[in-house]
């Protein structure tokens, strides 16, 4: 893989590499990038992976290779402390409660000693903390060069260091946010680098779809309302009815969310709703119209105080943008784009987006010549890795597949129960829970259950709790949502006599090497939901081109997700374990072979007795 990366760099061409678990893909692209002496931009999927590269992998390699390389970390605005907003927060009406006041005091103390201003440095500050949007900036509320703290700005400093560095570490969201908005500093970096590397590249298409479209969210409206009230009361009290405007904006946001929710009483997670399901219903157009009306009112009121401070100028621009976005969604969508509604327990987002990142990436590839490296453990299930290369516009890229060095036939077992209920049958979740309980008892915990839906997550989690409470077992049941993801994993690893039930984010990016995790159950084949608006649009496009949507889209998506979920099991050369897919279709349907071949070459077991015997053997060897 390193040789292929070095060749791509020398030829300034695109390379797509699928590298199995244990290959060491991070070092495989970092070593030639560092030895080349050129400039590199490295993009990862998450901020935590950015930190791992910047704080651990790059310093270790630079020391080992004795390369005098300047490295820099660049995150989005909201990751950094905004000195102006921090000072303003103390005297504003933004702080919701006493705990927020205490948190602000901690931030102010930390602000005296931080060099980078990266909020991730603050110990114990959860990334979902309500204080973060109060003490950080966004593209919407940043004052730019008009800010009184511009010279000391941590974002400006981070971008300046990135421009001067040899290797800059960013993330996919930042890359696409810049492509869409030219707001993160990446646009200035890209022309000057010799190689752009995208690690965890399988997440690139979805990250791009999120940022390359148009968005209007009720959370965005509420943030604007909060900022208007705080600024109005602190610097222009009495000049306008700021509290009335705040109340009107909040009411418009609430009515829009209710119009999006329709008759739904409760929402768990994030639901994707078809645009047609809501846009044509009574109440939706008036709610959208009220958002536009309140945004227009804000434009008028803020225009009268623009001269007081740069904050009012920026708020005036935000009000104009909100009015434009509301009118955009009142009109028909752009040709070739898909429109939908994201609904969560606390907000609704109207989204219009391209179906893939193909055009955007081809525009980038046509820019100044450089090497483009895309790598992940899961990029497709065919030789051309077309699941990734086609929607990413990389049809002509060189493709390399590097298998895992792990001895899967010796160390891993795969069991697909044939007599199991079909996923469509009502007793399927209870049977999955019963199977998980039997496995956990044989192994002494150390088990993951990965579900494809939040409904199955709850059903299986409840059934497992009831099972182990009734049996007086010492096995603990940890269920996604009961605590933050990081805390659940810490609890699982601290006392692995447990079963962890997770969905969505637990299918990838989870690394539990060694004996702590030795059994993974997947409840059913992870086909994408046919009712998802993006899925529907992509299927329609394939069928319009005369292609087989089931084979080319649904099975390909399921194969990728299976590889991700199954990949949680074996994380090192000495790991051993059992993967169970509780879906008889994987054994009996004609497409099952393709899905089985997408997994590493695990030894297949024929019966549950063989599966439980394998787990008992692993437990005995550990004892």
């Amino acid at each position: 893989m390193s040789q292929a990366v070095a060749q791509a760099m020398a030829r300034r061409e695109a390379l797509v590499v699928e590298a199995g678990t244990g290959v060491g893909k991070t070092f495989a692209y970092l070593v030639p990038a560092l030895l080349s002496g050129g400039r590199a931009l490295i993009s990862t999927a998450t901020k935590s992976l950015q930190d791992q590269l910047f704080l651990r992998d790059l310093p270790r390699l630079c020391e080992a290779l004795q390369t005098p390389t300047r490295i820099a970390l660049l995150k989005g605005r909201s990751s950094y402390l905004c000195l102006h907003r921090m000072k303003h927060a103390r005297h504003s009406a933004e702080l919701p409660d006493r705990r927020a006041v205490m948190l602000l005091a901690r931030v102010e103390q930390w602000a005296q000693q931080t060099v980078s201003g990266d909020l991730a440095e603050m110990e114990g500050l959860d990334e979902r903390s309500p204080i973060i949007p109060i003490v950080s900036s966004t593209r919407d509320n940043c004052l730019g060069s008009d800010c009184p703290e511009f010279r000391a700005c941590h974002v400006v400093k981070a971008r300046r260091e990135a421009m001067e560095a040899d290797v800059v570490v960013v993330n996919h969201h930042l890359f696409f946010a810049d492509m869409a908005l030219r707001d993160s500093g990446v646009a200035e970096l890209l022309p000057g680098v010799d190689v752009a590397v995208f690690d965890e590249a399988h997440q690139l298409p979805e990250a791009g779809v999120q940022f390359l479209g148009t968005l209007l969210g009720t959370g965005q409206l509420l943030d604007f309302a909060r900022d208007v009230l705080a600024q109005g009361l602190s610097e222009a009290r009495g000049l306008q009815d700021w509290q009335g405007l705040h109340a009107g904006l909040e009411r418009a946001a609430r009515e829009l969310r209710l119009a999006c929710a329709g008759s739904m009483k409760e929402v768990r997670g994030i639901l994707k709703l078809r645009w047609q399901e809501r846009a044509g219903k009574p109440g939706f157009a008036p709610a959208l119209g009220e958002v536009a009306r309140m945004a227009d009112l804000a434009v008028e009121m803020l225009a009268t105080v623009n001269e007081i401070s740069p904050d009012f100028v920026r708020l005036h621009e935000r009000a104009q943008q909100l009015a434009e976005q509301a009118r955009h969604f009142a009109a028909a969508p752009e040709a070739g784009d898909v429109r939908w509604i994201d609904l969560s327990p606390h907000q609704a987002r109207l989204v219009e987006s391209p179906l893939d990142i193909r055009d955007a990436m081809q525009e980038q590839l046509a820019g100044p010549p450089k090497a483009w490296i895309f790598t992940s453990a899961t990029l497709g299930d065919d030789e051309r890795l077309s699941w990734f290369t086609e929607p990413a516009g990389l049809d002509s890229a060189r493709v390399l597949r590097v298998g895992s060095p792990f001895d899967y036939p010796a160390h891993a077992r795969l069991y697909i129960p044939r007599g199991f209920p079909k996923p469509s049958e009502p007793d399927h979740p209870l049977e999955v829970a019963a199977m998980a309980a039997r496995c956990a008892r044989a192994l002494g915990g150390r088990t993951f259950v990965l579900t494809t839906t939040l409904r199955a997550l709850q059903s299986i989690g409840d059934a497992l709790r009831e099972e182990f409470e009734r049996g007086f077992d010492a096995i603990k049941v940890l269920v996604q949502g009961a605590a933050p993801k990081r805390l659940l994993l810490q609890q699982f690893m601290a006392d692995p006599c447990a079963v962890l039930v997770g969905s969505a984010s637990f299918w990838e990016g989870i690394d539990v090497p060694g004996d702590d995790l030795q059994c993974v159950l997947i409840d059913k084949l992870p086909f994408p939901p046919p009712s998802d608006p993006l899925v529907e649009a992509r299927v329609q496009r394939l069928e319009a081109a005369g292609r087989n949507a089931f084979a080319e889209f649904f099975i390909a998506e399921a194969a990728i997700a299976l590889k991700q979920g199954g990949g949680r099991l074996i994380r090192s050369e000495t790991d051993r374990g059992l993967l169970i897919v509780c879906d008889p279709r994987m054994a009996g349907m004609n497409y099952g072979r393709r899905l089985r071949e997408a997994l590493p070459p695990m030894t297949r077991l024929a019966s549950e007795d063989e599966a439980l015997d394998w787990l008992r053997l692993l437990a005995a060897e550990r004892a």
Side-chain angles (χ1 to χ4, degrees), residues 436 445-450 489 492 498-502 506 510 512 517-522 568:
R446 303 168 193 274
T447 299
F448 267 13
V449 182
L450 300 177
L489 283 171
F492 182 85
V499 179
L500 194 155
V501 188
F506 281 83
I510 303 292
V512 185
L517 174 61
Q518 293 189 299
C519 183
V520 173
L521 289 95
I522 291 174
R568 299 315 98 212

Side-chain angles (χ1 to χ4, degrees), residues 53 55 72 98 246 289 315 375 508 511 604 612:
L53 269 171
L55 298 172
R98 181 175 173 79
H246 174 265
L315 284 168
T375 184
E508 59 178 291
D511 195 20
R604 191 154 166 210
L612 295 177

Side-chain angles (χ1 to χ4, degrees), residues 34-111:
L34 290 171
L35 290 178
S36 73
R39 296 191 72 207
L41 178 79
I42 299 172
S43 181
T44 68
T46 63
K47 287 187 280 189
S48 60
L49 285 171
Q50 270 187 278
D51 289 334
Q52 178 183 310
L53 269 171
F54 179 72
L55 298 172
R56 191 189 72 183
D57 297 340
L58 274 164
R60 283 171 63 190
L61 270 181
C62 287
E63 184 180 358
L65 297 172
Q66 295 293 297
T67 55
T69 307
R70 292 171 300 177
I71 59 175
L73 181 67
L74 187 59
K75 298 181 180 179
R77 291 179 183 279
S78 61
S79 295
Y80 298 97
L81 173 68
C82 173
L83 296 168
H84 176 61
R85 286 179 61 78
M86 179 187 71
K87 291 175 181 176
H88 191 265
R90 177 60 65 185
H91 310 289
S92 75
E94 293 185 64
L95 298 174
D97 51 36
R98 181 175 173 79
R99 186 168 180 274
V101 174
M102 294 169 63
L103 266 174
L104 177 61
R106 278 190 60 211
V107 172
E108 289 171 331
Q109 187 177 9
W110 169 76

Side-chain angles (χ1 to χ4, degrees), residues 69-183:
T69 307
R70 292 171 300 177
I71 59 175
L73 181 67
L74 187 59
K75 298 181 180 179
R77 291 179 183 279
S78 61
S79 295
Y80 298 97
L81 173 68
C82 173
L83 296 168
H84 176 61
R85 286 179 61 78
M86 179 187 71
K87 291 175 181 176
H88 191 265
R90 177 60 65 185
H91 310 289
S92 75
E94 293 185 64
L95 298 174
D97 51 36
R98 181 175 173 79
R99 186 168 180 274
V101 174
M102 294 169 63
L103 266 174
L104 177 61
R106 278 190 60 211
V107 172
E108 289 171 331
Q109 187 177 9
W110 169 76
Q112 302 299 315
Q113 59 198 38
T114 182
V115 175
S116 72
D118 187 344
L119 290 161
E121 289 178 0
M122 267 196 74
E123 199 170 328
L125 182 65
D126 190 283
E127 61 183 18
R128 297 174 298 178
S129 169
I131 198 71
I132 289 180
I134 294 172
V135 299
S136 62
S137 71
T138 64
R139 179 177 179 271
D140 287 338
N141 59 34
C142 175
L143 302 181
S145 58
D146 292 327
C147 179
E149 300 291 338
F150 183 74
R151 289 173 64 86
C153 176
H154 291 298
V155 173
V156 172
K157 183 184 175 190
R159 291 181 180 177
R160 187 167 57 243
E161 289 176 351
M163 290 300 296
E164 296 169 355
D166 302 306
V167 177
V168 184
V169 183
V170 302
N171 60 59
H172 301 341
H173 290 105
L174 195 67
F175 176 79
F176 282 111
D178 200 277
M179 195 183 294
L181 305 169
R182 294 292 188 268
D183 180 55

